[in-house]
Amino acid sequence: MFERPQAGERALLVRLDMGGLSTAPDEHEEFQLLAEAAGAEVVGRLGGTRHSPDPRYFLGTGKADELKSLVAATGAELVIVDHPLSPAQERNLERLLECRVLDRSGLILDIFAQRARSFEGKLQVELAQLRHLSTRLVRGWTHLERQKGGIGLRGPGETQLETDRRLLARRVAMLERRLEKIESQRAQGRRARARAELAVVSLVGYTNAGKSTLFNQLTDAGVFQADQLFATLDPTLRRLSLPRGERALLADTVGFVSNLPHELVAAFRSTLEEARNASLLLHVVDASAPHRERLMADVEAVLDEIGCAELPRLEVFNKIDRLEEVAPRLERDAEGRPVRLWISARAGRGLDLLRAAIAERIGGAICERHLHLAPGDGRLRALLFEQAEVLSDEPLDSGGWRMVIRIARPDLERLAARHPALGVDAEPNA
């Protein structure tokens, strides 16, 4: 029997063209970037073509023997296969190669485990890992197949495998209860935002498209950003200032990737709920990516899986600083609505266009009001500067102020409830 090694980062990468279809070069590059993001030292690669997976090794007997020779020649301690493996295929490969074997789902789960920072994020990743592990307890581990024994311990008992399964199920149930409590807190926050009629704009997109950089530019949030896959996992919400007086919240969500493990989609349901309940999705796209249409299709597939297919969205083509002679611009559909923007978040180009487009897409009725405030209305004046667009503000000889403001209708109604002098009878202006 084979005892699995516990350490080792020297990795061989295995990817096959399945069904006679050749793999795009950017998919090979993405696979290597995923491995490097997990901390692997890539010492070799193995490719090939198969019409269908081999039930025993996935690769086929000949390719598996070739891989065994390559492991011995390179001293690899880990083999990463860029395809989903069944538990039996993973176990058979480990016995043959005498080293650890990881499939694509296990690789992405490992990256998420390294990057999670918040309490909720760590719980979600652990839950996803345990669900993945629950199908893989029958492995090459010898101690999992032995009955507890020894003097005074022989008897019906339970195998170590059964014990591990029971403990794992207990841990999964505990994590689910904790996450349900956090989800109820998130739902309470969403209800409060709904009562305040705050629109939520959610950033979605392929990993490393520049979502966190754009989030920082629009909100000064200071969240971690880096040129790497899955740089940030934990969702963040910040207030977004818009040019026409609307108030909104901007949500930064986890990046997507092709063939995202279903365990992750299920575990991160509360995080992805921010996208599902958004008023507008900003689909951030790396404009410099050579196969950006494929990446956009992968994002749309995940959005459809989590129930966001029907939500309004605005495509934001980022990183135009990497393209030649591409200036920031806004594109509209046949009805005149903004549908696509070309910007550079890192260089800060086109952000004013983006803010205006967001305001246009989420903005309801905007009211323009001419006000005369008394000297004792200083608090109201401060609130107007905070929640409205002040077009003019002139002091009066009597000690008050004459103001012209533009404000979202819900904000006007809320202020008027506490300050009846404002009134809500103004006609909205587009």
Side-chain angles (χ1 to χ4, degrees):
M1 297 298 294
F2 164 60
E3 292 283 356
R4 304 178 79 236
Q6 297 299 302
E9 308 300 336
R10 293 172 56 83
L12 274 173
L13 306 184
V14 178
R15 182 181 177 90
L16 303 182
D17 295 334
M18 302 301 297
L21 300 176
S22 59
T23 304
D26 69 308
E27 295 184 60
H28 287 283
E29 181 183 358
E30 178 186 276
F31 179 35
Q32 178 163 341
L33 289 175
L34 283 171
E36 292 173 351
E41 176 191 351
V42 179
V43 296
R45 298 171 187 78
L46 180 68
T49 303
R50 281 192 67 84
H51 288 285
S52 61
D54 177 70
R56 186 179 183 188
Y57 292 124
F58 184 85
L59 312 174
T61 305
K63 188 63 70 172
D65 290 337
E66 182 183 346
L67 180 59
K68 182 177 181 179
S69 300
L70 192 57
V71 168
T74 59
E77 303 155 308
L78 171 67
V79 170
I80 307 176
V81 182
D82 193 25
H83 305 276
L85 298 178
S86 71
Q89 290 168 339
E90 197 168 312
R91 180 180 68 249
N92 292 337
L93 280 173
E94 287 189 339
R95 286 174 173 168
L96 175 69
L97 304 175
E98 297 186 352
C99 70
R100 286 184 300 141
V101 174
L102 202 63
D103 67 357
R104 183 181 180 89
S105 295
L107 175 63
I108 296 176
L109 286 169
D110 185 84
I111 297 172
F112 273 53
Q114 295 180 45
R115 302 286 166 78
R117 293 292 179 267
S118 70
F119 176 69
E120 180 187 9
K122 291 176 181 178
L123 288 181
Q124 290 170 325
V125 172
E126 182 181 355
L127 178 60
Q129 288 179 313
L130 291 179
R131 284 174 172 165
H132 184 70
L133 178 63
S134 65
T135 64
R136 285 164 162 73
L137 283 180
V138 184
R139 301 287 291 271
W141 299 69
T142 57
H143 79 279
L144 292 182
E145 299 177 353
R146 288 200 297 264
Q147 202 102 16
K148 291 179 178 177
I151 297 174
L153 296 176
R154 296 186 181 92
E158 63 178 348
T159 64
Q160 181 66 48
L161 179 59
E162 290 167 341
T163 301
D164 286 356
R165 279 176 174 161
R166 177 167 48 81
L167 294 175
L168 186 146
R170 185 181 302 170
R171 179 68 177 172
V172 166
M174 184 271 291
L175 291 174
E176 288 176 340
R177 287 194 300 271
R178 288 188 178 181
L179 285 171
E180 284 174 3
K181 184 176 180 180
I182 294 175
E183 167 58 18
S184 67
Q185 295 170 348
R186 283 189 173 275
Q188 184 177 2
R190 284 192 290 268
R191 287 193 295 270
R193 293 195 293 270
R195 286 194 299 270
E197 300 186 21
L198 279 175
V200 176
V201 180
S202 185
L203 292 169
V204 298
Y206 212 79
T207 180
N208 205 30
K211 296 184 299 301
S212 294
T213 302
L214 179 59
F215 185 79
N216 286 335
Q217 289 279 30
L218 292 174
T219 65
D220 295 324
V223 301
F224 177 72
Q225 60 188 57
D227 187 15
Q228 62 185 26
L229 302 184
F230 301 116
T232 54
L233 294 183
D234 302 314
T236 309
L237 281 88
R238 291 291 186 274
R239 181 170 175 174
L240 176 62
S241 298
L242 297 174
R244 302 199 315 171
E246 297 92 334
R247 291 193 303 156
L249 289 177
L250 187 64
D252 187 17
T253 61
V254 62
F256 300 153
V257 70
S258 60
N259 302 316
L260 192 66
H262 291 287
E263 296 92 346
L264 275 178
V265 175
F268 276 72
R269 66 184 185 277
S270 61
T271 299
L272 297 173
E273 195 77 16
E274 298 297 344
R276 193 182 307 167
N277 288 276
S279 305
L280 177 69
L281 298 179
L282 297 187
H283 182 173
V284 183
V285 182
D286 181 355
S288 64
H291 298 275
R292 66 189 183 210
E293 297 298 330
R294 179 184 67 82
L295 306 185
M296 293 175 67
D298 289 337
V299 171
E300 292 295 334
V302 177
L303 290 175
D304 183 58
E305 184 176 352
I306 65 176
C308 295
E310 303 302 322
L311 291 180
R313 66 201 62 193
L314 188 61
E315 293 178 353
V316 181
F317 282 72
N318 188 27
K319 303 186 181 181
I320 62 171
D321 51 300
R322 298 184 179 182
L323 304 176
E324 294 183 2
E325 299 181 359
V326 176
R329 69 177 187 272
L330 169 64
E331 298 178 8
R332 298 178 179 271
D333 62 12
E335 299 177 359
R337 294 177 303 178
V339 292
R340 184 178 296 111
L341 289 105
W342 299 76
I343 68 164
S344 171
R346 185 177 66 175
R349 299 170 58 196
L351 298 186
D352 290 339
L353 278 176
L354 176 58
R355 287 191 181 93
I358 294 173
E360 189 172 340
R361 290 297 300 266
I362 70 170
I366 303 298
C367 302
E368 185 172 309
R369 300 286 294 188
H370 295 254
L371 306 175
H372 287 80
L373 302 187
D377 289 332
R379 174 59 180 162
L380 174 58
R381 179 170 175 266
L383 288 173
L384 291 174
F385 269 97
E386 181 182 340
Q387 300 184 20
E389 180 185 5
V390 178
L391 302 179
S392 68
D393 177 40
E394 302 174 7
L396 299 175
D397 294 338
S398 60
W401 300 271
R402 179 187 294 113
M403 301 181 69
V404 180
I405 64 168
R406 286 171 57 85
I407 186 171
R409 187 80 175 180
D411 290 340
L412 175 63
E413 293 173 349
R414 193 162 37 251
L415 286 173
R418 288 177 292 169
H419 304 276
L422 283 178
V424 292
D425 55 344
E427 290 297 323
N429 298 322

